[in-house]
Amino acid sequence: MTTPRPLRKDAQRNREQLVRAARELFAQHGIDVALEEIARTAGVSIGTLYNRFPTRQDLVDAVFEDRAETVSRLAEHALSLDDPWAGLVHFLERVCELQAADRGYNDLVSRRVPQASPSEGYQRGYELMSRIVARARESGQLRADFTLEDMAFVTWGTTRTVEAVGTVRPEMWRRHLALLLDGMRADAAHPLPEPPLRPEELARAMGEGC
């Protein structure tokens, strides 16, 4: 395999400026912010941006490349807690905090840009989340019909709550999450009217943008 040539100092500097500008603007305005604005904030031309990041997805990946590792660490900590329900709650609260603090990340967790391939970090996080859900379910604290795919409703709901009232009541997502968690408890469960999403249905829904 060919080793990528290191970037020249000026090219590396441009890349770092673009990632820094994109991170700031994504956090404020979401991942659909105009690429021209990112280039202008970074102090480079739009041509330089496309030289470094041929697609928007390339830039999104560069900005959020550390988030998969962050989520994996949160999941590992959740699994280290003795109480499976406490682990599930801890994980969801921390992920929702990330969403509330960064509009770009809030966008990212609610949809998947088409053609984006799951990274190794993404797969690791998926496996850890599966264990969090299974452990809470097997303990009898999480309702028996809750699936990993149902976690999407938590992140989608938080996305919309943050968008709707984030500038008015920044912490209101906590109330929303608490209501959801009460509905996830086994001792509050009633039969659900619809079966859960299948993994391929969830992938299609996220690919179309939620």
Side-chain angles (χ1 to χ4, degrees):
M1 189 172 79
T2 303
T3 302
R5 293 175 59 186
L7 295 174
R8 301 191 317 271
K9 286 186 178 180
D10 59 335
Q12 181 63 33
R13 183 174 61 253
N14 288 340
R15 186 184 190 282
E16 292 171 354
Q17 289 174 184
L18 284 163
V19 170
R20 191 180 307 116
R23 182 176 290 121
E24 176 184 331
L25 291 170
F26 286 169
Q28 295 174 358
H29 306 293
I31 60 176
D32 292 325
V33 67
L35 296 179
E36 290 80 4
E37 185 174 355
I38 294 172
R40 184 165 55 251
T41 301
V44 302
S45 70
I46 189 65
T48 297
L49 185 152
Y50 280 117
N51 283 338
R52 300 274 66 84
F53 304 103
T55 69
R56 179 181 295 272
Q57 183 59 38
D58 292 327
L59 182 56
V60 169
D61 287 344
V63 169
F64 295 108
E65 64 182 351
D66 62 334
R67 290 305 172 92
E69 179 59 33
T70 298
V71 171
S72 290
R73 287 198 302 269
L74 293 175
E76 288 168 350
H77 179 70
L79 288 167
S80 74
L81 300 179
D82 292 335
D83 183 344
W85 177 259
L88 174 66
V89 172
H90 173 83
F91 177 73
L92 289 174
E93 286 180 342
R94 299 292 84 77
V95 170
C96 289
E97 283 177 353
L98 292 176
Q99 288 183 245
D102 187 330
R103 185 172 173 183
Y105 185 66
N106 193 44
D107 285 349
L108 192 66
V109 299
S110 69
R111 55 180 160 157
R112 186 184 63 200
V113 179
Q115 286 82 51
S117 58
S119 65
E120 183 178 338
Y122 174 90
Q123 294 290 356
R124 171 69 173 156
Y126 186 88
E127 293 167 3
L128 291 170
M129 285 189 286
S130 297
R131 289 169 54 193
I132 291 171
V133 170
R135 196 172 74 120
R137 195 171 51 223
E138 290 163 6
S139 75
Q141 298 175 86
L142 177 64
R143 56 187 302 153
D145 55 359
F146 189 91
T147 70
L148 180 62
E149 286 69 38
D150 288 321
M151 292 278 269
F153 295 118
V154 179
T155 56
W156 290 343
T158 300
T159 294
R160 296 300 181 244
T161 300
V162 169
E163 289 175 352
V165 298
T167 59
V168 179
R169 291 280 296 277
E171 298 295 308
M172 185 54 70
W173 65 266
R174 296 185 185 276
R175 179 180 176 89
H176 171 85
L177 179 59
L179 290 169
L180 289 177
L181 287 169
D182 275 354
M184 291 160 57
R185 292 180 185 273
D187 57 9
H190 291 84
L192 296 172
E194 284 288 327
L197 287 170
R198 298 189 300 275
E200 63 272 19
E201 290 176 323
L202 177 61
R204 191 164 71 245
M206 294 189 75
E208 292 170 356
C210 300

